[in-house]
Amino acid sequence: MSAKRVKIGLIGLGTVGSGVYRTLKAFEHIEIAKIAVRDKNKPRNIPDLDQSILTENPLEVVNNPEIEIVIELIGGIEPAFGLIQTAVENGKHIVTANKELLAKHGEELFNIAEKHNRVILYEAAIAGGIPIIMPIKTILTGNNITKIEAILNGTTNYILTKMDLQGLSYEEALKEAQELGYAEADPASDVEGFDAAYKITTLATLAFKERVKLDKVYREGITKINAQDMKIANELGYKIKLTASAYFDENNNADVRVHPMLIPKQNTLAHIDYVTNAVSLTGHPIGEITLSGPGAGAFPTASSVTGDVLAIAAEIGTTDYLLPQMRCRHRKTANVINILDTENRYYLLIEAANVKGVTGKIGAICAENNISLKSFIQKDISENNTAAIVIITEKAVERDMLNAISEFKKDESIINVNNLIRVQLY
Ligand code: NAP
Ligand code: HSE
């Protein structure tokens, strides 16, 4: 039996859209009927592109009565939200890679979709080519997932790896990531951790089966990480990665955050380099699993979009209620705790005057704030007679750590308190 022919509308033909166009062309039962772009005359590196199906009016896609699946690949909130809403109201199923939209308006969109008995699939929105949404919603659904530790942004992982392994400057590495099509239209979304925060918001919601609100997710980017931190981290046996994590405790409190983290070199995430992403999940009964693969770029992302399109196309005309397991069922809001109340280990680089008693003062301030030191390393004395001191703490409460830092800053023999970076717990 040959597969039912399904007409698709594409909104966006940029990095991801062009990868999707070229990938879907291989499937005879999928017909790309209309493509909306911002500028029809823009040169595009797609040799077999049928110019006659291009439009600068996305309403021609979402209002086209023949189109059954709309793929949204323009990004951002508007007009993406309005276009998806109209498409759903017009009876179309949706595939999107728009993590920002899902993190900010997912609940509204899924409610609209359910009201109209349509599905919204978004495998490409999180970790690019890694299959993670469908596995969590299907084969892993019997698990009680309590921990996610992940690298969810390809651009920042690429930048950190290039700085670390090849000595590139931050600016050079970011430029390369942009040229390779990994970065967002505004790369601040990548380097300031917003993109990873959008992704962990949705991932944690799925894994914990309770809705995590984006504004409760702690976020820090990589812009303060410098070559000195990387060098010291390497010497001490760590790699610095931008991680997205979510922990769920026995009292149903969620701790969801994005920040740079020192990862011991023997741990899996330390070896996830360049554009590769990885998601480590811990749950019962599965234990721990890690999925890794390309986290950005035209074709890896197209793989996920194509998988979603084919999943929907396979069911159109066979049932009145498509893909029940892929629908959104989150009705409870997760209680997300404040980062100040969390316990972490910390790396801190202190620049201090080379005077007697300074190390004792640092130790005393830590002790007064309930912080035990795992290691205390005095680096070289510089020409201006200052000492670089690196401390790594045992588990301490974030609020106590910040209090200790403000005490350090008040001390006249402490010149500078540099980057505070959290260290992966054992
Ligand atoms: P992109 O290269 O900037 O492409 C955006 C496309 O949308 C362009 O074709 C643009 O048209 C079109 N567009 C923008 N506004 C439009 C409008 N109002 N009406 C019609 N078309 C419009 O972006 P991208 O990297 O492909 O990313 C697309 C989405 O996928 C975003 O949500 C992004 O976060 C997500 N994503 C990206 C990646 C990645 O590796 N790049 C991976 C996963 C998810 P023109 O071509 O005429 O300018
Ligand atoms: N800008 C994103 C990244 C694209 O670098 O991971 C993939 O979502």
Side-chain angles (χ1 to χ4, degrees):
M1 195 178 80
S2 61
K4 179 187 178 300
R5 197 167 174 78
V6 174
K7 288 196 180 179
I8 308 286
L10 192 55
I11 309 178
L13 193 60
T15 302
V16 182
S18 50
V20 167
Y21 179 88
R22 293 164 80 152
T23 307
L24 282 177
K25 275 294 191 188
F27 297 88
E28 279 181 5
H29 69 297
I30 302 294
E31 179 187 336
I32 301 172
K34 206 80 189 159
I35 304 175
V37 290
R38 206 164 16 203
D39 176 3
K40 263 169 63 165
N41 299 316
K42 189 170 173 177
R44 297 176 199 276
N45 187 19
I46 308 177
D48 58 349
L49 180 62
D50 175 1
Q51 294 283 341
S52 72
I53 61 170
L54 293 188
T55 174
E56 288 175 3
N57 179 6
L59 292 175
E60 286 185 26
V61 175
V62 297
N63 289 333
N64 183 323
E66 295 189 337
I67 286 174
E68 295 186 90
I69 305 173
V70 169
I71 309 175
E72 181 276 308
L73 297 172
I74 59 177
I77 304 302
E78 287 296 355
F81 184 100
L83 291 169
I84 291 178
Q85 178 168 14
T86 307
V88 169
E89 286 167 356
N90 286 338
K92 289 141 196 10
H93 300 284
I94 307 294
V95 176
T96 179
N98 193 334
K99 48 272 165 120
E100 180 179 1
L101 185 62
L102 292 165
K104 292 182 177 169
H105 297 289
E107 189 170 11
E108 289 156 84
L109 284 173
F110 292 120
N111 287 342
I112 295 166
E114 205 53 29
K115 185 170 158 208
H116 293 273
N117 186 17
R118 290 297 176 267
V119 292
I120 300 177
L121 300 191
Y122 49 94
E123 190 62 71
I126 293 156
I130 304 176
I132 185 70
I133 306 300
M134 212 173 262
I136 287 181
K137 282 194 161 266
T138 58
I139 200 72
L140 294 171
T141 194
N143 278 271
N144 178 26
I145 297 173
T146 49
K147 175 170 152 185
I148 305 171
E149 279 184 348
I151 293 173
L152 292 179
N153 183 269
T155 301
T156 46
N157 206 43
Y158 185 87
I159 294 171
L160 293 175
T161 309
K162 282 277 175 171
M163 286 170 69
D164 183 28
L165 300 185
Q166 292 173 19
L168 258 68
S169 71
Y170 169 86
E171 289 76 19
E172 288 167 327
L174 170 60
K175 189 164 171 279
E176 279 191 15
Q178 288 177 296
E179 285 163 2
L180 289 163
Y182 302 154
E184 295 302 304
D186 176 1
S189 182
D190 298 290
V191 299
E192 297 292 358
F194 291 101
D195 179 81
Y198 301 147
K199 291 165 175 167
I200 195 70
T201 296
T202 300
L203 200 56
T205 297
L206 299 185
F208 300 150
K209 302 186 176 86
E210 289 189 9
R211 189 160 291 286
V212 171
K213 298 284 184 189
L214 176 64
D215 61 0
K216 302 281 184 218
V217 174
Y218 179 80
R219 174 194 55 78
E220 251 177 59
I222 62 161
T223 48
K224 291 191 200 131
I225 304 294
N226 57 46
Q228 187 186 24
D229 292 318
M230 286 195 164
K231 184 167 173 282
I232 297 171
N234 267 304
E235 286 167 11
L236 298 178
Y238 297 96
K239 290 285 173 190
I240 302 177
K241 300 284 180 189
L242 183 72
T243 56
S245 317
Y247 310 93
F248 222 41
D249 72 15
E250 55 286 354
N251 301 317
N252 273 11
N253 294 313
D255 166 7
V256 189
R257 73 279 261 292
V258 170
H259 53 65
M261 187 145 78
L262 260 71
I263 317 258
K265 283 183 187 167
Q266 66 271 22
N267 291 2
T268 313
L269 293 188
H271 304 282
I272 304 299
D273 287 332
Y274 300 103
V275 74
T276 307
N277 282 192
V279 184
S280 282
L281 298 176
T282 306
H284 181 77
I286 187 133
E288 185 183 328
I289 53 163
T290 302
L291 293 93
S292 69
F299 284 109
T301 314
S303 163
S304 294
V305 172
T306 302
D308 281 347
V309 169
L310 296 179
I312 296 171
E315 297 210 353
I316 287 178
T318 67
T319 168
D320 290 337
Y321 197 74
L322 272 75
L323 298 163
Q325 280 190 290
M326 296 306 296
R327 298 188 183 224
C328 172
R329 309 209 181 281
H330 308 104
R331 296 290 167 260
K332 245 181 109 183
T333 300
N335 180 40
V336 179
I337 56 175
N338 191 312
I339 189 89
L340 292 174
D341 298 321
T342 65
E343 282 191 315
N344 304 281
R345 292 172 64 217
Y346 300 92
Y347 154 100
L348 189 63
L349 178 60
I350 300 169
E351 197 190 334
N354 183 26
V355 291
K356 276 201 189 109
V358 70
T359 54
K361 278 189 197 168
I362 292 171
I365 291 172
C366 286
E368 282 157 19
N369 286 284
N370 313 309
I371 297 163
S372 301
L373 297 181
K374 181 173 190 294
S375 48
F376 186 107
I377 302 144
Q378 181 165 333
K379 309 284 294 174
D380 308 331
I381 307 291
S382 68
E383 282 168 12
N384 58 356
N385 206 28
T386 61
I389 295 166
V390 178
I391 59 172
I392 294 201
T393 73
E394 294 289 5
K395 243 186 189 186
V397 175
E398 178 108 355
R399 194 184 303 278
D400 290 340
M401 191 68 226
L402 297 188
N403 282 340
I405 290 174
S406 51
E407 292 300 313
F408 292 149
K409 286 183 176 165
K410 284 183 204 155
D411 193 296
E412 71 282 357
S413 51
I414 294 177
I415 298 156
N416 228 328
V417 182
N418 290 312
N419 253 340
L420 177 78
I421 309 177
R422 295 167 194 82
V423 180
Q424 190 179 37
L425 295 179
Y426 311 104

